[in-house]
Amino acid sequence: MPKYFGLLALIFSCGLIVRGGLVPQVEVPEIPDEVSLDAEGPKDSNTTSTKSTLKLVHVLFRHGPRTPVNTYPKDPYINETYEPYGWGALTNGAKVELYKIGKQLRQRYRDFLAPYYQPDMIRAQSSESPRTMMSLQMVLAGLFPPENTPLEWNLMLNWQPIPIFMEPEETDLRIRMKASCPRYDEAVLEIFDLPEVKKIHEENSQLLQELSDFTGLNVTHAHDVTNIFISLQTEQTYGLKLPEWTKDYYPEKMLPLAALSYVYDAYTAEMRKLKGGYFIEFLLNQIQSKISGKLKPADRRMFISCGHDWTISNILSALDVWEGQMPRFSALIAFELHQKEETGEYFLELYFQNDPDQEPKQLQIPGCEKQCPISKLVELTKDVLPDAPYKDLCKPKRTLNGAKITYH
Ligand SMILES: *[C@@H]1O[C@H](CO)[C@@H](O)[C@H](O)[C@H]1NC(C)=O
Ligand SMILES: *[C@@H]1O[C@H](CO)[C@@H](O)[C@H](O)[C@H]1NC(C)=O
Ligand SMILES: *[C@@H]1O[C@H](CO)[C@@H](O)[C@H](O)[C@H]1NC(C)=O
């Protein structure tokens, strides 16, 4: 509210109502920075925002809450239109949440990023999906509000355009991870033949049968449970009342299997290579370029990417730090390259924030310290780095006759 009055005062005192908008043409008075007063950011400031040793950060997050993508034959809402968003689209609640995450990032990296948007400083990339492109725009809106900066252009709209790059699905191995890969499809099915995975499905055969009866789907794999789980979750978030049967199943009974599908997605080193490996390769390349002074542009400080639930779980699985859990909407990973002042040594700190209302949690890569030296990181990830062209890695071994399961 006070801000609003401040704005009005400015407008009246300057009389700057110009065709096409309200354009500030005078030195903008110092108004306390809203973001720095915001207590939403992380509180462990010594290990994060005020640290002068941060050199480069990769932020990767899942798009925000959305309307359902999938339904099931017996879904009472099978004909729902999900007005005004449509199916599989970001909700207004998501926009609020993502904007807040942008402000959290501004708070966390306020001493690291320039006070306003600069083209070389950041590269923002989204998967080829409307909900990730929209999510990235919302986070960038919170991260780079132009108010009180030289980029302010409209007193009534504290927003500015920031470019977003996107790679088509067919070539996006880093974020979208949906480029055709027959070998991967085989590998997922092979997992279900492993004794320990078979056992879990056998133990849950009654649950799978009951879910089949209630939904009208053939619920066979953990992935089928995940799909139903997320459909119910998104219907409920949209404001629909879930059918009576769900009370005994959702979320508790379904949760363990629903969460396991993310583990199975990247169960073997080969699967980790085909999925998370491409992002890890990119991350290590950027880190090594930064260290050797060859990163272009030289003043790049942040990469920020927006992907999907499987993007998050596959990349953390490739680093062997994924715990069996449901990745939440808006879940966020921060990969921070730091340099020790005393020794000059470079290391990675890894943070995961599954819930934007909670502090990011620092993760520890097995075999490494929480401050993981880059040389050690390279050593620990060598088995998941792609070592042949994708096309070759994806050649089927014909272990199955073209069978395929759909997942998420
Ligand atoms: C933060 O770091 C400073 C300087 O190293 C130290 O004096 C201070 O006690 C630290 N604060 C916390 C909360 O750890
Ligand atoms: C959905 O629409 C179809 C076609 O109009 C109708 O036959 C069916 O009963 C509707 N289903 C539900 C659950 O409303
Ligand atoms: C359900 O799917 C499994 C695996 O795809 C298949 O073996 C089975 O025959 C299917 N059952 C029905 C009733 O369609």
Side-chain angles (χ1 to χ4, degrees):
M1 258 320 178
K3 259 181 87 168
Y4 182 62
F5 289 123
L7 267 180
L8 282 182
L10 236 183
I11 293 162
F12 283 121
S13 63
C14 307
L16 288 172
I17 300 173
V18 181
R19 188 167 54 93
L22 301 164
V23 182
Q25 297 181 342
V26 287
E27 194 86 352
V28 184
E30 281 298 316
I31 302 171
D33 183 356
E34 189 194 14
V35 169
S36 64
L37 299 176
D38 204 327
E40 285 164 351
K43 284 158 198 81
D44 54 337
S45 56
N46 262 17
T47 59
T48 54
S49 61
T50 59
K51 199 155 193 168
S52 60
T53 59
L54 187 57
K55 298 295 174 192
L56 185 69
V57 60
H58 277 71
V59 171
L60 171 72
F61 65 99
R62 181 190 184 192
H63 61 76
R66 57 160 170 79
T67 54
V69 174
N70 294 315
T71 177
Y72 51 91
K74 294 189 182 171
D75 185 354
Y77 306 112
I78 197 162
N79 295 329
E80 180 61 56
T81 58
Y82 294 104
E83 290 291 322
Y85 312 113
W87 285 74
L90 218 57
T91 62
N92 279 347
K95 293 169 202 165
V96 171
E97 181 170 295
L98 293 157
Y99 182 64
K100 187 176 106 175
I101 288 173
K103 286 172 46 162
Q104 288 176 348
L105 290 173
R106 162 62 43 191
Q107 168 84 2
R108 184 177 179 91
Y109 298 117
R110 66 182 183 276
D111 298 332
F112 178 61
L113 297 177
Y116 52 87
Y117 169 70
Q118 293 172 359
D120 282 356
M121 179 177 60
I122 182 164
R123 181 180 164 99
Q125 184 162 339
S126 163
S127 73
E128 185 182 13
S129 164
R131 58 182 174 271
T132 51
M133 292 189 258
M134 288 166 75
S135 295
L136 190 47
Q137 290 183 50
M138 286 313 309
V139 168
L140 290 169
L143 185 52
F144 294 109
E147 189 177 76
N148 299 329
T149 78
L151 289 173
E152 182 164 30
W153 63 279
N154 184 329
L155 290 179
M156 303 303 278
L157 181 60
N158 190 14
W159 172 87
Q160 63 180 319
I162 311 251
I164 290 177
F165 296 88
M166 188 206 75
E167 214 173 308
E169 176 163 309
E170 305 84 70
T171 52
D172 182 6
L173 306 178
R174 289 205 309 262
I175 304 175
R176 179 75 176 160
M177 299 182 187
K178 288 284 187 192
S180 163
C181 187
R183 173 59 204 145
Y184 180 78
D185 297 338
E186 276 179 356
V188 174
L189 277 174
E190 285 164 22
I191 297 308
F192 292 102
D193 280 333
L194 296 175
E196 73 270 24
V197 178
K198 257 193 164 145
K199 181 158 171 279
I200 285 179
H201 283 77
E202 275 160 20
E203 284 166 2
N204 283 284
S205 61
Q206 194 188 337
L207 174 63
L208 294 171
Q209 186 55 54
E210 286 163 1
L211 288 174
S212 299
D213 295 343
F214 282 122
T215 61
L217 290 172
N218 181 358
V219 184
T220 315
H221 301 111
H223 295 75
D224 303 323
V225 180
T226 311
N227 284 339
I228 301 168
F229 188 99
I230 299 177
S231 294
L232 296 176
Q233 179 188 40
T234 48
E235 288 182 350
Q236 190 171 53
T237 308
Y238 178 74
L240 299 176
K241 189 173 176 294
L242 296 184
E244 206 51 34
W245 69 264
T246 60
K247 286 206 168 75
D248 288 335
Y249 295 85
Y250 173 82
E252 287 82 12
K253 252 195 210 172
M254 292 173 73
L255 184 63
L257 273 183
L260 269 174
S261 73
Y262 294 97
V263 175
Y264 298 154
D265 280 350
Y267 204 67
T268 64
E270 182 193 24
M271 297 166 90
R272 291 173 182 197
K273 185 186 293 181
L274 287 170
K275 294 288 167 176
Y278 286 88
F279 185 91
I280 304 296
E281 181 185 50
F282 174 75
L283 175 76
L284 290 179
N285 282 343
Q286 304 307 316
I287 284 177
Q288 283 161 334
S289 303
K290 180 74 194 177
I291 292 173
S292 63
K294 291 189 183 128
L295 185 64
K296 283 196 180 115
D299 39 9
R300 169 70 42 82
R301 291 183 164 230
M302 178 182 274
F303 291 85
I304 184 165
S305 313
C306 184
H308 304 266
D309 44 356
W310 61 83
T311 314
I312 298 291
S313 57
N314 284 335
I315 288 169
L316 289 184
S317 292
L319 293 172
D320 208 8
V321 289
W322 180 251
E323 295 168 19
Q325 63 195 315
M326 289 301 286
R328 199 188 167 286
F329 291 109
S330 313
L332 179 146
I333 313 172
F335 303 88
E336 296 179 355
L337 174 69
H338 293 265
Q339 184 179 27
K340 284 203 171 103
E341 264 164 11
E342 322 82 69
T343 61
E345 187 191 19
Y346 286 93
F347 56 88
L348 182 85
E349 286 182 12
L350 177 59
Y351 295 88
F352 180 51
Q353 178 179 264
N354 202 20
D355 181 341
D357 289 331
Q358 281 168 20
E359 297 287 307
K361 195 171 105 187
Q362 190 170 5
L363 302 182
Q364 185 164 7
I365 297 168
C368 218
E369 299 90 86
K370 276 193 170 169
Q371 300 191 323
C372 185
I374 301 306
S375 51
K376 214 163 175 181
L377 180 68
V378 168
E379 179 63 25
L380 286 167
T381 52
K382 67 179 193 314
D383 288 347
V384 300
L385 294 187
D387 49 359
Y390 189 66
K391 209 160 57 67
D392 296 346
L393 295 174
C394 286
K395 276 202 187 103
K397 290 184 181 163
R398 312 254 170 242
T399 57
L400 305 145
N401 349 319
K404 189 174 167 178
I405 64 164
T406 54
Y407 58 101
H408 322 316

